[in-house]
Amino acid sequence: MGTIVMSGTVVLVILGFGNHVYWLAAVAVLFLYVQYGRGSSAPSGGAGGGAVGGGAPADYRSYRERRDTQAKWERRYRRERPFEARRQAREKAN
């Protein structure tokens, strides 16, 4: 991912010699990559995963919360749309 961002940034800088708006776009791409791209995939707990308060690691806790929320929405969907849910289950089985 980083090589794509860097290649795109270099292209935008080269294009920026003709139009300075591309330089602003290059800065925006780098900012968004540093802010959201790199930090979201790296574990925040360091090499050991780091337990928070002696419990489960924070990344596993957030995974469990996302999983439980997804399960809650899926149960609600099946409850509110039983025919559609059954049709989807039949298609998935085939």
Side-chain angles (χ1 to χ4, degrees):
M1 177 69 181
T3 56
I4 295 171
V5 171
M6 295 306 287
S7 301
T9 304
V10 168
V11 169
L12 287 173
V13 166
I14 291 171
L15 290 172
F17 289 111
N19 186 355
H20 298 301
V21 174
Y22 288 116
W23 282 347
L24 294 174
V27 170
V29 166
L30 284 177
F31 172 76
L32 291 174
Y33 174 67
V34 169
Q35 190 74 20
Y36 300 108
R38 231 178 10 163
S40 63
S41 63
S44 60
V52 177
D59 53 350
Y60 180 69
R61 185 175 296 126
S62 62
Y63 158 75
R64 272 194 347 232
E65 290 171 2
R66 286 192 313 269
R67 183 193 63 191
D68 294 344
T69 303
Q70 181 68 30
K72 181 181 78 170
W73 281 104
E74 288 173 357
R75 286 191 302 270
R76 180 179 177 183
Y77 181 83
R78 285 193 305 268
R79 183 176 64 242
E80 292 178 353
R81 297 173 184 86
F83 298 116
E84 182 69 17
R86 273 188 245 140
R87 183 187 63 79
Q88 288 177 356
R90 277 195 312 268
E91 288 177 355
K92 187 177 180 182
N94 291 335

XYZ file of all heavy atoms in Angstrom:
731
model
N 0.827 -1.193 0.000
C 0.000 0.000 0.000
C 0.867 1.251 0.000
O 0.558 2.209 -0.666
C -0.927 -0.047 1.221
C -1.794 1.161 1.382
S -3.019 1.229 0.082
C -3.842 2.731 0.498
N 1.934 1.215 0.740
C 2.800 2.380 0.843
C 3.460 2.729 -0.474
O 3.643 3.908 -0.795
N 3.829 1.692 -1.260
C 4.476 1.982 -2.545
C 3.505 2.629 -3.518
O 3.897 3.495 -4.305
C 5.042 0.688 -3.167
O 3.982 -0.266 -3.293
C 6.140 0.112 -2.312
N 2.232 2.239 -3.455
C 1.236 2.859 -4.327
C 1.051 4.321 -3.954
O 0.991 5.199 -4.824
C -0.102 2.096 -4.237
C 0.058 0.690 -4.792
C -1.199 2.845 -4.975
C -1.126 -0.200 -4.544
N 0.987 4.593 -2.662
C 0.810 5.972 -2.204
C 2.023 6.813 -2.580
O 1.886 7.946 -3.064
C 0.560 6.010 -0.679
C 0.590 7.430 -0.160
C -0.761 5.346 -0.355
N 3.203 6.258 -2.389
C 4.406 7.021 -2.723
C 4.502 7.262 -4.229
O 4.878 8.348 -4.671
C 5.659 6.292 -2.214
C 5.719 6.196 -0.699
S 5.549 7.797 0.127
C 7.114 8.512 -0.231
N 4.182 6.250 -5.037
C 4.207 6.424 -6.491
C 3.207 7.486 -6.922
O 3.515 8.342 -7.768
C 3.885 5.102 -7.184
O 4.806 4.116 -6.825
N 2.017 7.430 -6.362
C 1.012 8.436 -6.680
C 1.440 9.830 -6.274
O 1.186 10.808 -6.990
N 2.097 9.912 -5.135
C 2.578 11.220 -4.669
C 3.642 11.770 -5.608
O 3.633 12.964 -5.941
C 3.126 11.098 -3.241
O 2.106 10.559 -2.403
C 3.572 12.432 -2.705
N 4.548 10.905 -6.049
C 5.596 11.352 -6.979
C 4.969 11.833 -8.284
O 5.362 12.880 -8.831
C 6.612 10.213 -7.226
C 7.531 10.527 -8.391
C 7.416 9.956 -5.968
N 3.989 11.103 -8.783
C 3.307 11.519 -10.012
C 2.626 12.876 -9.809
O 2.707 13.758 -10.668
C 2.291 10.443 -10.458
C 1.388 10.962 -11.555
C 3.021 9.191 -10.909
N 1.972 13.053 -8.672
C 1.302 14.329 -8.420
C 2.302 15.470 -8.297
O 2.031 16.594 -8.743
C 0.447 14.230 -7.158
C -0.830 13.406 -7.293
C -1.490 13.233 -5.933
C -1.786 14.063 -8.270
N 3.463 15.213 -7.709
C 4.484 16.261 -7.592
C 5.012 16.626 -8.973
O 5.200 17.805 -9.298
C 5.622 15.801 -6.653
C 6.838 16.700 -6.775
C 5.123 15.769 -5.218
N 5.231 15.608 -9.811
C 5.728 15.892 -11.170
C 4.691 16.688 -11.951
O 5.022 17.660 -12.636
C 6.096 14.576 -11.886
C 7.338 13.973 -11.229
C 6.334 14.804 -13.372
C 7.674 12.581 -11.703
N 3.423 16.303 -11.837
C 2.371 17.057 -12.510
C 2.222 18.458 -11.913
O 1.738 19.370 -12.581
C 1.036 16.311 -12.414
C 0.918 15.021 -13.217
C -0.381 14.314 -12.872
C 1.002 15.313 -14.704
N 2.644 18.625 -10.666
C 2.514 19.905 -9.977
C 3.365 21.004 -10.554
O 3.122 22.182 -10.297
N 4.379 20.656 -11.365
C 5.169 21.710 -11.995
C 4.344 22.473 -13.015
O 4.597 23.648 -13.271
C 6.431 21.119 -12.644
C 7.444 20.671 -11.636
C 7.716 19.329 -11.452
C 8.123 21.598 -10.856
C 8.644 18.917 -10.528
C 9.053 21.193 -9.919
C 9.317 19.841 -9.751
N 3.324 21.833 -13.572
C 2.452 22.525 -14.525
C 1.251 23.165 -13.843
O 0.739 24.180 -14.295
N 0.793 22.554 -12.775
C -0.390 23.058 -12.080
C -0.190 22.809 -10.586
O -0.103 21.663 -10.152
C -1.635 22.323 -12.594
C -2.920 22.885 -12.027
O -2.904 23.761 -11.176
N -4.036 22.366 -12.505
N -0.129 23.855 -9.811
C 0.215 23.736 -8.395
C -0.857 23.051 -7.557
O -0.599 22.668 -6.421
C 0.528 25.121 -7.811
C 1.708 25.770 -8.470
N 2.952 25.185 -8.471
C 1.839 26.936 -9.165
C 3.804 25.962 -9.119
N 3.150 27.033 -9.562
N -2.043 22.887 -8.114
C -3.106 22.193 -7.384
C -2.708 20.740 -7.133
O -3.070 20.151 -6.117
C -4.444 22.288 -8.168
C -5.527 21.448 -7.520
C -4.870 23.739 -8.267
N -1.930 20.166 -8.057
C -1.485 18.781 -7.875
C -0.571 18.645 -6.662
O -0.529 17.604 -6.022
C -0.791 18.268 -9.126
C -1.746 18.010 -10.273
C -1.651 18.742 -11.448
C -2.737 17.049 -10.168
C -2.520 18.520 -12.493
C -3.611 16.819 -11.215
C -3.499 17.547 -12.375
O -4.355 17.327 -13.411
N 0.185 19.681 -6.348
C 1.023 19.629 -5.150
C 0.157 19.561 -3.898
O 0.452 18.830 -2.956
C 1.953 20.837 -5.087
C 3.145 20.724 -5.988
C 3.574 19.601 -6.622
C 4.041 21.754 -6.341
N 4.684 19.880 -7.361
C 5.011 21.198 -7.211
C 4.124 23.097 -6.022
C 6.040 21.934 -7.750
C 5.162 23.832 -6.558
C 6.108 23.255 -7.418
N -0.916 20.328 -3.901
C -1.844 20.251 -2.771
C -2.462 18.861 -2.670
O -2.647 18.321 -1.573
C -2.935 21.317 -2.910
C -2.464 22.766 -2.808
C -3.624 23.706 -3.109
C -1.890 23.039 -1.436
N -2.773 18.273 -3.815
C -3.323 16.915 -3.816
C -2.296 15.922 -3.272
O -2.649 15.003 -2.525
C -3.754 16.526 -5.221
N -1.026 16.104 -3.624
C 0.021 15.214 -3.119
C 0.140 15.324 -1.606
O 0.267 14.313 -0.900
C 1.356 15.542 -3.787
N 0.080 16.537 -1.097
C 0.144 16.733 0.351
C -1.073 16.100 1.018
O -0.951 15.449 2.068
C 0.241 18.243 0.685
C 0.063 18.484 2.168
C 1.570 18.796 0.208
N -2.242 16.241 0.409
C -3.452 15.652 0.977
C -3.368 14.133 0.991
O -3.754 13.480 1.973
C -4.674 16.107 0.180
N -2.832 13.541 -0.078
C -2.687 12.078 -0.131
C -1.744 11.607 0.963
O -2.027 10.638 1.674
C -2.196 11.639 -1.528
C -1.706 10.202 -1.510
C -3.291 11.811 -2.553
N -0.622 12.278 1.117
C 0.326 11.883 2.170
C -0.285 12.042 3.555
O -0.110 11.184 4.423
C 1.600 12.710 2.060
C 2.539 12.319 0.932
C 3.723 13.276 0.884
C 3.015 10.899 1.089
N -1.009 13.134 3.766
C -1.634 13.352 5.067
C -2.642 12.251 5.373
O -2.655 11.686 6.474
C -2.319 14.723 5.106
C -3.138 14.928 6.346
C -2.519 15.202 7.551
C -4.519 14.810 6.321
C -3.265 15.383 8.709
C -5.273 14.991 7.460
C -4.643 15.267 8.662
N -3.500 11.933 4.404
C -4.510 10.891 4.634
C -3.867 9.529 4.849
O -4.337 8.731 5.667
C -5.481 10.841 3.457
C -6.401 12.045 3.324
C -7.216 11.961 2.047
C -7.309 12.163 4.541
N -2.777 9.256 4.145
C -2.087 7.968 4.332
C -1.485 7.877 5.731
O -1.616 6.863 6.404
C -0.999 7.795 3.282
C -0.162 6.569 3.511
C -0.712 5.296 3.377
C 1.173 6.660 3.879
C 0.039 4.169 3.597
C 1.937 5.540 4.094
C 1.365 4.298 3.954
O 2.119 3.185 4.178
N -0.844 8.956 6.173
C -0.233 8.938 7.508
C -1.311 8.885 8.583
O -1.183 8.169 9.576
C 0.686 10.166 7.692
C 1.113 10.317 9.136
C 1.903 10.046 6.795
N -2.395 9.611 8.376
C -3.443 9.694 9.386
C -4.241 8.396 9.494
O -4.504 7.918 10.590
C -4.387 10.853 9.047
C -5.359 11.188 10.143
C -4.706 11.901 11.303
O -3.637 12.470 11.160
N -5.333 11.864 12.444
N -4.637 7.818 8.357
C -5.557 6.689 8.383
C -4.965 5.395 7.825
O -5.303 4.319 8.282
C -6.823 7.018 7.582
C -7.553 8.202 8.127
C -7.544 9.411 7.456
C -8.236 8.119 9.334
C -8.211 10.511 7.962
C -8.897 9.211 9.845
C -8.879 10.397 9.149
O -9.540 11.483 9.660
N -4.113 5.465 6.847
C -3.635 4.266 6.168
C -2.678 3.443 6.981
O -2.875 2.257 7.191
N -1.615 4.051 7.462
C -0.595 3.320 8.191
C -1.066 2.926 9.578
O -0.871 1.801 10.006
C 0.648 4.196 8.324
C 1.885 3.532 7.907
C 3.070 4.413 7.993
N 2.850 5.672 8.671
C 3.815 6.432 9.122
N 5.037 6.058 8.993
N 3.560 7.569 9.715
N -1.696 3.822 10.293
C -2.073 3.580 11.679
C -3.168 2.565 11.855
O -3.231 1.878 12.858
N -4.063 2.412 10.870
C -5.187 1.501 11.060
C -4.776 0.050 10.939
O -5.387 -0.820 11.531
C -6.285 1.811 10.043
O -5.810 1.582 8.735
N -3.712 -0.261 10.187
C -3.328 -1.656 10.009
C -2.286 -2.106 11.025
O -2.113 -3.297 11.234
C -2.791 -1.874 8.596
O -1.625 -1.103 8.404
N -1.577 -1.194 11.657
C -0.549 -1.566 12.616
C -1.168 -1.792 13.991
O -2.031 -1.044 14.424
C 0.506 -0.464 12.709
N -0.739 -2.842 14.693
C -1.269 -3.058 16.035
C -0.768 -1.980 16.983
O 0.395 -1.589 16.950
C -0.734 -4.431 16.430
C 0.435 -4.674 15.538
C 0.180 -3.897 14.282
N -1.665 -1.496 17.835
C -1.301 -0.395 18.715
C -0.619 -0.868 19.989
O -0.038 -0.089 20.707
C -2.551 0.411 19.070
O -3.476 -0.432 19.726
N -0.684 -2.158 20.272
C -0.137 -2.667 21.515
C 1.331 -3.013 21.473
O 1.877 -3.503 22.435
N 1.981 -2.821 20.354
C 3.383 -3.153 20.251
C 3.566 -4.610 19.839
O 2.666 -5.260 19.314
N 4.766 -5.160 20.109
C 5.072 -6.505 19.640
C 4.265 -7.562 20.374
O 3.902 -8.581 19.807
C 6.566 -6.778 19.804
N 3.983 -7.368 21.637
C 3.290 -8.386 22.408
C 1.786 -8.295 22.351
O 1.088 -9.134 22.889
N 1.228 -7.307 21.728
C -0.211 -7.179 21.658
C -0.780 -6.381 22.815
O -1.872 -5.866 22.714
N -0.079 -6.300 23.908
C -0.420 -5.433 25.035
C -1.827 -5.562 25.559
O -2.766 -5.137 24.938
N -1.978 -6.160 26.709
C -3.300 -6.274 27.310
C -3.654 -4.960 27.998
O -2.807 -4.297 28.585
C -3.314 -7.405 28.319
N -4.909 -4.607 27.917
C -5.390 -3.384 28.552
C -6.055 -3.774 29.858
O -7.063 -4.471 29.859
C -6.377 -2.640 27.626
C -6.931 -1.428 28.315
C -5.696 -2.269 26.330
N -5.519 -3.339 30.959
C -6.117 -3.621 32.249
C -6.112 -5.099 32.624
O -6.943 -5.529 33.405
N -5.225 -5.879 32.049
C -5.151 -7.287 32.386
C -6.167 -8.140 31.658
O -6.159 -9.352 31.770
N -7.069 -7.535 30.862
C -8.078 -8.296 30.130
C -7.579 -8.666 28.754
O -6.391 -8.846 28.520
N -8.512 -8.773 27.839
C -8.165 -9.105 26.468
C -7.481 -7.912 25.802
O -7.703 -6.768 26.199
C -9.431 -9.471 25.703
N -6.656 -8.161 24.805
C -6.034 -7.047 24.085
C -7.082 -6.148 23.454
O -8.182 -6.590 23.110
C -5.206 -7.744 23.007
C -5.004 -9.133 23.490
C -6.192 -9.449 24.338
N -6.749 -4.887 23.294
C -7.711 -3.901 22.798
C -8.183 -4.247 21.393
O -9.353 -4.054 21.065
C -7.091 -2.519 22.823
N -7.293 -4.752 20.549
C -7.725 -5.057 19.196
C -8.697 -6.240 19.180
O -9.640 -6.265 18.396
C -6.538 -5.315 18.274
C -5.598 -6.371 18.811
O -5.748 -6.777 19.976
O -4.699 -6.787 18.056
N -8.510 -7.203 20.060
C -9.453 -8.315 20.123
C -10.786 -7.849 20.702
O -11.848 -8.276 20.260
C -8.890 -9.460 20.962
C -9.839 -10.633 21.048
C -10.101 -11.405 19.926
C -10.489 -10.940 22.224
C -10.982 -12.464 19.984
C -11.372 -11.994 22.294
C -11.609 -12.762 21.168
O -12.496 -13.793 21.233
N -10.715 -6.955 21.681
C -11.955 -6.435 22.266
C -12.765 -5.677 21.215
O -13.983 -5.850 21.107
C -11.633 -5.524 23.443
C -12.883 -5.050 24.173
C -12.539 -4.244 25.407
N -11.835 -5.050 26.379
C -10.659 -4.725 26.917
N -10.079 -3.585 26.595
N -10.076 -5.517 27.784
N -12.108 -4.878 20.411
C -12.823 -4.154 19.360
C -13.361 -5.128 18.310
O -14.454 -4.924 17.774
C -11.938 -3.098 18.716
O -10.832 -3.702 18.096
N -12.601 -6.190 18.027
C -13.092 -7.210 17.100
C -14.366 -7.845 17.646
O -15.342 -8.032 16.905
C -12.015 -8.273 16.871
C -12.571 -9.587 16.389
C -13.001 -9.742 15.074
C -12.698 -10.671 17.249
C -13.533 -10.938 14.635
C -13.225 -11.867 16.823
C -13.641 -12.000 15.513
O -14.169 -13.182 15.094
N -14.356 -8.181 18.928
C -15.549 -8.802 19.532
C -16.736 -7.867 19.480
O -17.859 -8.288 19.203
C -15.264 -9.178 20.988
C -14.667 -10.528 21.136
C -14.711 -11.016 22.575
N -15.030 -10.019 23.565
C -14.328 -9.771 24.657
N -13.246 -10.457 24.903
N -14.707 -8.853 25.511
N -16.514 -6.580 19.738
C -17.609 -5.607 19.680
C -18.174 -5.500 18.270
O -19.401 -5.465 18.084
C -17.128 -4.245 20.168
C -16.859 -4.200 21.659
C -16.186 -2.912 22.103
O -15.963 -2.029 21.236
O -15.882 -2.787 23.285
N -17.287 -5.456 17.264
C -17.769 -5.407 15.883
C -18.535 -6.674 15.528
O -19.589 -6.619 14.874
C -16.597 -5.237 14.916
C -15.999 -3.862 14.902
C -15.055 -3.676 13.732
N -14.102 -4.761 13.550
C -12.893 -4.806 14.102
N -12.488 -3.821 14.868
N -12.092 -5.821 13.880
N -18.010 -7.826 15.953
C -18.667 -9.100 15.663
C -20.043 -9.171 16.316
O -21.020 -9.583 15.683
C -17.783 -10.241 16.172
C -18.327 -11.623 15.866
C -17.604 -12.664 16.657
N -17.835 -12.430 18.081
C -17.177 -13.041 19.048
N -16.231 -13.888 18.766
N -17.454 -12.789 20.316
N -20.140 -8.757 17.563
C -21.423 -8.795 18.265
C -22.426 -7.821 17.649
O -23.613 -8.131 17.531
C -21.230 -8.481 19.748
C -20.424 -9.550 20.461
O -20.274 -10.660 19.895
O -19.946 -9.283 21.582
N -21.953 -6.646 17.255
C -22.837 -5.677 16.611
C -23.341 -6.221 15.283
O -24.531 -6.104 14.960
C -22.101 -4.344 16.383
O -21.616 -3.869 17.641
C -23.017 -3.310 15.775
N -22.443 -6.844 14.514
C -22.846 -7.427 13.239
C -23.874 -8.535 13.452
O -24.871 -8.619 12.740
C -21.629 -7.978 12.499
C -21.949 -8.588 11.159
C -22.399 -7.564 10.155
O -21.992 -6.407 10.216
N -23.233 -7.984 9.225
N -23.655 -9.379 14.446
C -24.610 -10.451 14.741
C -25.966 -9.883 15.152
O -27.012 -10.409 14.758
C -24.054 -11.356 15.843
N -25.945 -8.800 15.916
C -27.199 -8.164 16.330
C -27.972 -7.656 15.113
O -29.182 -7.871 14.998
C -26.907 -7.009 17.288
C -28.152 -6.300 17.786
C -27.811 -5.152 18.697
C -27.353 -3.976 17.884
N -27.204 -2.737 18.624
N -27.274 -7.010 14.172
C -27.933 -6.504 12.980
C -28.446 -7.653 12.108
O -29.516 -7.547 11.495
C -26.995 -5.600 12.191
C -26.910 -4.235 12.791
C -25.887 -3.722 13.530
C -27.900 -3.209 12.734
N -26.167 -2.450 13.929
C -27.411 -2.103 13.444
C -29.158 -3.119 12.143
C -28.136 -0.926 13.582
C -29.875 -1.944 12.284
C -29.350 -0.864 12.994
N -27.676 -8.748 12.031
C -28.140 -9.881 11.232
C -29.376 -10.524 11.848
O -30.297 -10.914 11.121
C -27.022 -10.912 11.090
C -25.915 -10.444 10.163
C -24.739 -11.376 10.143
O -24.738 -12.383 10.889
O -23.806 -11.092 9.376
N -29.431 -10.637 13.170
C -30.639 -11.174 13.816
C -31.836 -10.270 13.567
O -32.941 -10.742 13.285
C -30.398 -11.337 15.321
C -29.508 -12.501 15.683
C -29.520 -12.769 17.173
N -29.104 -11.626 17.976
C -27.852 -11.370 18.332
N -26.883 -12.183 17.975
N -27.569 -10.326 19.077
N -31.603 -8.953 13.640
C -32.693 -8.011 13.395
C -33.183 -8.117 11.957
O -34.391 -8.105 11.693
C -32.205 -6.587 13.683
C -33.267 -5.546 13.457
C -32.768 -4.169 13.782
N -33.787 -3.171 13.488
C -33.598 -1.878 13.627
N -32.452 -1.428 14.069
N -34.559 -1.042 13.330
N -32.245 -8.259 11.021
C -32.628 -8.386 9.618
C -33.467 -9.642 9.406
O -34.493 -9.611 8.723
C -31.371 -8.431 8.746
C -31.661 -8.531 7.270
C -31.955 -7.400 6.531
C -31.652 -9.763 6.621
C -32.231 -7.478 5.172
C -31.938 -9.856 5.270
C -32.216 -8.712 4.554
O -32.501 -8.806 3.220
N -33.037 -10.778 9.975
C -33.791 -12.029 9.824
C -35.160 -11.929 10.471
O -36.134 -12.478 9.971
C -33.010 -13.195 10.432
C -31.838 -13.634 9.580
C -31.282 -14.965 10.039
N -30.907 -14.995 11.431
C -29.694 -14.718 11.896
N -28.732 -14.390 11.061
N -29.436 -14.779 13.184
N -35.251 -11.212 11.582
C -36.533 -11.062 12.273
C -37.486 -10.176 11.473
O -38.676 -10.478 11.352
C -36.292 -10.461 13.660
C -37.550 -10.334 14.510
C -37.241 -9.828 15.904
N -36.688 -8.471 15.860
C -35.474 -8.131 16.294
N -34.666 -9.046 16.801
N -35.049 -6.884 16.237
N -36.965 -9.092 10.888
C -37.825 -8.153 10.186
C -38.123 -8.572 8.748
O -39.120 -8.149 8.184
C -37.189 -6.762 10.187
C -37.139 -6.144 11.567
C -36.475 -4.782 11.574
O -35.931 -4.369 10.514
O -36.500 -4.130 12.616
N -37.266 -9.388 8.137
C -37.448 -9.812 6.743
C -37.259 -11.322 6.640
O -36.274 -11.791 6.066
C -36.433 -9.102 5.857
C -36.611 -7.603 5.851
C -35.467 -6.935 5.098
N -35.559 -5.502 5.148
C -35.072 -4.757 6.138
N -34.466 -5.319 7.144
N -35.203 -3.451 6.110
N -38.197 -12.104 7.176
C -37.990 -13.557 7.218
C -37.932 -14.203 5.830
O -37.133 -15.120 5.610
C -39.189 -14.070 8.013
C -40.209 -13.001 7.928
C -39.468 -11.719 7.780
N -38.753 -13.749 4.879
C -38.757 -14.366 3.556
C -37.447 -14.103 2.827
O -36.882 -14.994 2.197
C -39.950 -13.852 2.739
C -41.276 -14.207 3.360
C -42.132 -13.219 3.814
C -41.653 -15.536 3.502
C -43.336 -13.545 4.395
C -42.865 -15.865 4.079
C -43.709 -14.875 4.532
N -36.976 -12.869 2.903
C -35.702 -12.521 2.262
C -34.545 -13.287 2.902
O -33.641 -13.772 2.212
C -35.471 -11.014 2.364
C -34.211 -10.527 1.709
C -34.235 -10.613 0.199
O -35.324 -10.751 -0.386
O -33.153 -10.556 -0.396
N -34.564 -13.414 4.208
C -33.491 -14.136 4.901
C -33.487 -15.606 4.502
O -32.421 -16.198 4.290
C -33.658 -13.992 6.412
N -34.668 -16.219 4.382
C -34.739 -17.622 3.968
C -34.259 -17.798 2.529
O -33.553 -18.760 2.217
C -36.167 -18.146 4.114
C -36.430 -18.672 5.510
C -37.771 -19.350 5.578
N -38.581 -18.538 6.485
C -39.851 -18.235 6.338
N -40.525 -18.705 5.325
N -40.471 -17.480 7.207
N -34.631 -16.854 1.666
C -34.182 -16.934 0.270
C -32.666 -16.836 0.181
O -32.011 -17.598 -0.534
C -34.820 -15.808 -0.550
C -34.455 -15.881 -2.036
C -34.947 -14.669 -2.800
N -34.332 -13.427 -2.353
C -33.115 -13.021 -2.701
N -32.362 -13.763 -3.474
N -32.634 -11.882 -2.239
N -32.092 -15.913 0.957
C -30.628 -15.770 0.956
C -29.952 -17.014 1.503
O -28.906 -17.433 1.023
C -30.228 -14.538 1.745
C -30.555 -13.245 1.047
C -30.215 -12.031 1.885
O -29.789 -12.145 3.031
N -30.416 -10.848 1.320
N -30.546 -17.644 2.532
C -29.965 -18.869 3.090
C -30.010 -19.991 2.058
O -29.067 -20.784 1.956
C -30.730 -19.264 4.360
N -31.113 -20.090 1.304
C -31.211 -21.124 0.256
C -30.169 -20.883 -0.838
O -29.504 -21.828 -1.295
C -32.600 -21.099 -0.377
C -33.636 -21.872 0.394
C -34.872 -22.121 -0.457
N -35.375 -20.931 -1.149
C -36.288 -20.100 -0.679
N -36.831 -20.303 0.504
N -36.676 -19.049 -1.379
N -29.975 -19.622 -1.249
C -28.980 -19.312 -2.282
C -27.577 -19.607 -1.780
O -26.731 -20.049 -2.566
C -29.099 -17.849 -2.699
C -30.340 -17.555 -3.514
C -30.470 -16.080 -3.854
O -29.636 -15.282 -3.377
O -31.410 -15.727 -4.564
N -27.318 -19.341 -0.532
C -25.992 -19.589 0.022
C -25.712 -21.089 0.097
O -24.578 -21.530 -0.106
C -25.893 -18.965 1.418
C -24.520 -19.018 2.021
C -24.495 -18.305 3.362
C -23.111 -18.355 3.955
N -23.065 -17.709 5.266
N -26.738 -21.897 0.380
C -26.564 -23.343 0.483
C -26.303 -23.973 -0.888
O -25.627 -24.996 -0.979
C -27.799 -23.975 1.116
N -26.818 -23.359 -1.943
C -26.632 -23.934 -3.290
C -25.370 -23.507 -3.919
O -24.528 -22.925 -3.750
C -27.791 -23.547 -4.204
C -29.078 -24.239 -3.767
O -29.009 -25.267 -3.147
N -30.175 -23.625 -4.108
